[in-house]
Amino acid sequence: MIRFDVLTLFPDLFAGYLSQSLLKLAIQAGLVQVHLWNIRDWSKDKHQRVDDRPFGGGPGMVMMAEPVVDCVEAVRAKAEPAGRLLMMTPTGRRLDQRLVEELAAEPRLLLLCGRYEGFDDRIRQVLTPTEVSIGDYVCNGGEVPAMAVIDTTIRLIPGVLGDEGSAADDSHSEPGRLEYPQYTRPRTYRELDVPDVLLGGNHRAIAAWRREQSAKRSEESS
Ligand code: SAM
């Protein structure tokens, strides 16, 4: 079982995501827990503000240290163990399958989602989170990156995927290795045929073809 605590200004963004498909089933099966927390609930401001103008000038607003740190500390204290804190930020460590494997071994992850121009740097200095980026581009907020962390991590939690073999065959399960091409019915689509080897029932030949195709794809993409 893995527990996620998502700290966000927009918890409602997760409603559809949590109530569909694999994640919904994993939650129902007790394999995954997701708890949503609104950072605004820790604002001491009478208008519940959590952002302010940047010192030194410049565009946009910056998330203030106090409500964010208070929120993280309060959420941490709500359950055992305290969990590993991930700060979603485009300046962080790139999320790849190695990091996903590392995260899937944790019992509890706290996912801190930024908005606006990002976080007051003292949040990072005080909380020393693992800073995680989903790629070299900028999203409007940390919610989609947090969903990417949840989505990739739960695939590695035993029992979440129907067929335990499927995560092991996935692209990137070995560094740099991409999955072979897959086909399903019909056998011919727009004059494109499924390769004969996949129809013959010879499992050794199928495995050999898949290894060869996987190597070819991996080589082409490197
Ligand atoms: N001004 C910041 C910068 O240039 O680094 C970007 C702020 S972005 C508009 C707002 C929030 O979205 C960030 O604080 C972070 O939580 C999240 N975010 C945006 N892109 C991300 C990425 N590639 N990976 C992880 N989080 C990201």
Side-chain angles (χ1 to χ4, degrees):
M1 208 279 281
I2 186 166
R3 170 180 170 136
F4 298 95
D5 292 89
V6 184
L7 290 58
T8 166
L9 292 173
F10 296 97
D12 291 350
L13 281 175
F14 288 81
Y17 175 54
L18 293 175
S19 62
Q20 305 287 320
S21 189
L22 267 186
L23 181 53
K24 173 187 163 188
L25 296 175
I27 292 169
Q28 283 174 347
L31 299 168
V32 175
Q33 282 185 11
V34 182
H35 299 262
L36 301 171
W37 306 97
N38 192 333
I39 298 167
R40 215 174 279 287
D41 291 341
W42 279 269
S43 170
K44 294 201 174 92
D45 181 270
K46 68 176 175 199
H47 303 295
Q48 285 201 297
R49 282 182 53 186
V50 292
D51 58 302
D52 211 332
R53 291 186 301 276
F55 279 122
M61 304 294 271
V62 175
M63 289 181 72
M64 293 188 289
E66 192 177 21
V68 173
V69 172
D70 286 355
C71 175
V72 170
E73 289 177 346
V75 169
R76 270 207 156 132
K78 285 186 188 287
E80 291 276 343
R84 179 165 172 186
L85 177 64
L86 309 186
M87 173 187 266
M88 309 316 302
T89 167
T91 59
R93 172 176 166 190
R94 180 78 67 86
L95 184 69
D96 61 13
Q97 197 63 20
R98 304 289 79 73
L99 179 54
V100 171
E101 285 164 7
E102 203 180 300
L103 298 179
E106 301 276 353
R108 184 181 182 199
L109 295 171
L110 286 78
L111 308 180
L112 178 58
C113 306
R115 278 273 155 179
Y116 318 120
E117 288 306 317
F119 302 102
D120 184 312
D121 198 61
R122 290 166 294 186
I123 297 169
R124 193 180 59 77
Q125 295 172 39
V126 170
L127 297 171
T128 60
T130 302
E131 299 170 57
V132 177
S133 166
I134 60 164
D136 291 345
Y137 42 79
V138 176
C139 305
N140 292 324
E143 290 75 15
V144 168
M147 287 181 205
V149 169
I150 296 171
D151 225 62
T152 49
T153 304
I154 63 165
R155 294 179 64 75
L156 303 185
I157 303 300
V160 168
L161 297 182
D163 176 356
E164 288 309 318
S166 51
D169 272 0
D170 275 346
S171 300
H172 307 295
S173 54
E174 284 170 36
R177 191 179 66 77
L178 303 183
E179 198 188 49
Y180 46 81
Q182 300 265 23
Y183 297 87
T184 185
R185 290 189 296 174
R187 287 181 176 206
T188 302
Y189 172 69
R190 296 198 178 187
E191 298 179 12
L192 296 169
D193 295 327
V194 173
D196 286 340
V197 64
L198 299 178
L199 307 173
N202 180 338
H203 295 294
R204 285 177 66 164
I206 291 170
W209 180 86
R210 286 179 166 166
R211 273 197 305 276
E212 184 190 299
Q213 292 292 315
S214 171
K216 190 167 160 233
R217 269 190 169 177
S218 310
E219 178 66 29
E220 283 166 4
S221 82
S222 65

